[in-house]
Structure formats: structure tokens, C-alpha cells
Amino acid sequence: MSSDLKIFSGGANLQLATQICETLGLGLSRLAVSRFSNDNLFVQIRENVREKDVFVVQPFTAPVGDTIMELFIIMDALRSASARRITAVIPYFSYARSDKKDAPRISITGRLMADLIRTAGADRVLTMDLHSDAVHGFFSIPVDHLTAIPYFVEHFRERLDLDNAVVVATDAGGAKRAGRLAQRLHLPMAIIDKRRVADTEVVQGLVVGEVKGRDAIIFEDEISTGGTLAASVKTLAAAGVKSIHVGATHGVLCGPAVNRLVDSPIESVAVTDTVHVPREKQADKIHTLSVAPLFAEAIRRIHTGESVGALFD
């Protein structure tokens, strides 16, 4: 691999960044992050990056404000150190959920984040499975938008008998996402009618599609508190499904999520490592799929000027 390529990581997911580097045969580039006595972050790049092609890995995970600020300061330091190009690698872009003005006097924060990422020094962005495809258009710099769907296709083909399966979208907004998985698995799809009444509370109604007696595969972009999944399980059980399995790219798993999954009739849950899942959030029914090889190949292609889109042809 070219010596002009440098990969740095913030503190949000060092494990993923390290695996990306190992796949590429590189060492993780060195930086130091500390705090002043007033809690301000301090970042120092510990190697030469002048005229280098630099990638910074940092998903937007809790504490989100700190991880975002750390990314901004790292990129600004790299720009000051004369890096030739800076790519913000954001495996999980949490503010993609804020993509529209659906209440009075609120910020479309996804657009604000896109502007701030560019201002902080990013020349391009590499991310995965945005909550809304519209967020891609918020950026005025190039964005490479990866998907983990091929990993879930392989996972479900290996673990399930798909002859009697159906892919389920938990609301109309996720139908396009679930439809992509259903198409790759050559399966029918069903959609649950959902109304969100609060951040952690949803109300569901009818199921559109045939699920009775079938093995349901719920497919989401992320699992946060697990509130939507809990409601979906009740809805599908009432509709007579045979079994329930779950796939979600981003295993945020905050609050009561793990307990909800473990205590539910869900037979298996698959997430990727875009978000680091600590030991206390791991459980037998939760399987983690590593997307480090895909990010590594995308980084290699960006560095060499090859097509990233060709990865999914």
C-alpha cells in the first residue's frame, strides 16, 4: 500500500479502525488526544502528514457531542499540518435521523452536521447505511455511501431456511431499505403501519403483506432503544408469524435495548461493528458482523482513484 496513505482514528471505535488498517496491511497512524483542566480537548498529530492522503475513522456514538468535536479537531489539526486530502470516515452518522423539519422551530441537524464537517476540513466523506438517503444530498463535498446489505444476505443465507421467510419493514419509511434486502434474498416483503408518538414510544397497526406461518426477517438501519422492535414483535406475533429474526446495520443498543432483545421472542439479532458493542452489551442471540473489509476496500479505491460504486455492482 502507498506510503502516502494515512489512517487515523478518534476514540469512538478504535477496534474497527485497527481492523481496517490490518486488512490494508497498514499501522494505525499516531495522534495524541487529551484534555485541558477546563475539559477542552487537545489533539496533536504525531507523524508527518504533509501532502498525504488522510482518512479519519470516527462514528458518531455516545457521547455524541464529544466524538463529533474530537473528529472536528483532528481534521483541523490535519489541515494545519498540510494534509493533501482529508476523508472523514463516519461509519455511523447518527444525525442522519434529523433530515427534515417535522416540527415547528427545529434544526435540520443532519444538514448542519454536513456543513460543519466540511468547515472542519473534510474534503470527502465515507459512511454507511444512512437513516435517510436524502442526507447524502446535504453535503457539498463528495460522499461515498456504503451498504452492509451484502453481509446480511450472506448471514441470513447461512443461518436460516429461506424457503418460508419474509422480509419485514417496521414502517413505510424503511420499506425501500427492507426491499433491497428482500430483492437480494429473492423474498417477499411486508410492511408494518407505524406511528411514532415519542422518541422511545411507537404505536403500530396493520401488517401489509403475508406473514402468517412465515419466518420474519425484520431489517432496520439501526437499533437504538429497541422500542420499535418491541412493538414490531407484538404486531408480528399477533399476525401469526412462525419466528422472528432481526438485522440492523448500526447496533447502538442504548438504554433498555439489550434487555428488550434478550427477553423478547426474537430468535437472533445481527448487527455490524460500525458501532462498538462493549462486553456488557453482548448476548448470545446478538451476532456482530465485521464491515472492516468493506471499509478497507473502499478506502483503498478512494486512494487509488478507482470506483467505489463498483463494489456493489
Side-chain angles (χ1 to χ4, degrees), residues 150-163:
Y151 288 84
F152 289 104
V153 169
E154 182 178 0
H155 172 80
F156 288 121
R157 280 178 176 167
E158 288 179 351
R159 292 179 173 268
L160 297 180
D161 179 1
L162 298 177
D163 291 341

Side-chain angles (χ1 to χ4, degrees), residues 232-255:
S232 299
V233 168
K234 292 179 181 179
T235 301
L236 291 171
V241 296
K242 179 182 176 183
S243 67
I244 301 173
H245 305 266
V246 175
T249 300
H250 312 296
V252 183
L253 304 178
C254 55

